[in-house]
Amino acid sequence: MAPTPTPPVHPSDDPASYVGLDAESAERLARERGWSTVRGLPPGSIITMEYVAGRLNFEVDNGRVVRCWHG
């Protein structure tokens, strides 16, 4: 039987720390903190429910991050 793969660990970071930042600064900060993928989405975007380790999602309204979550 094949071993169970160990998923990559995402950076130890609080998603709430990005809320209120402008989208460009938030993305730059996330990459500096080690996030491999950063995705900005407009409010109400239709997205798949797939979880991607190492990805940070931003909901961006009028150039500001209003919500942030892993995956």
Side-chain angles (χ1 to χ4, degrees):
M1 178 179 269
T4 303
T6 304
V9 178
H10 57 71
S12 179
D13 195 13
D14 180 13
S17 68
Y18 296 94
V19 175
L21 298 176
D22 69 89
E24 188 176 307
S25 295
E27 181 174 349
R28 184 172 47 252
L29 181 59
R31 292 191 187 284
E32 288 172 4
R33 291 180 176 174
W35 293 97
S36 59
T37 305
V38 180
R39 177 169 70 165
L41 303 160
S45 291
I46 301 202
I47 58 174
T48 63
M49 294 302 293
E50 68 183 324
Y51 182 86
V52 176
R55 178 170 67 190
L56 192 64
N57 299 292
F58 295 140
E59 184 174 319
V60 179
D61 192 15
N62 292 320
R64 295 256 169 225
V65 176
V66 294
R67 183 175 166 234
C68 180
W69 68 99
H70 299 152

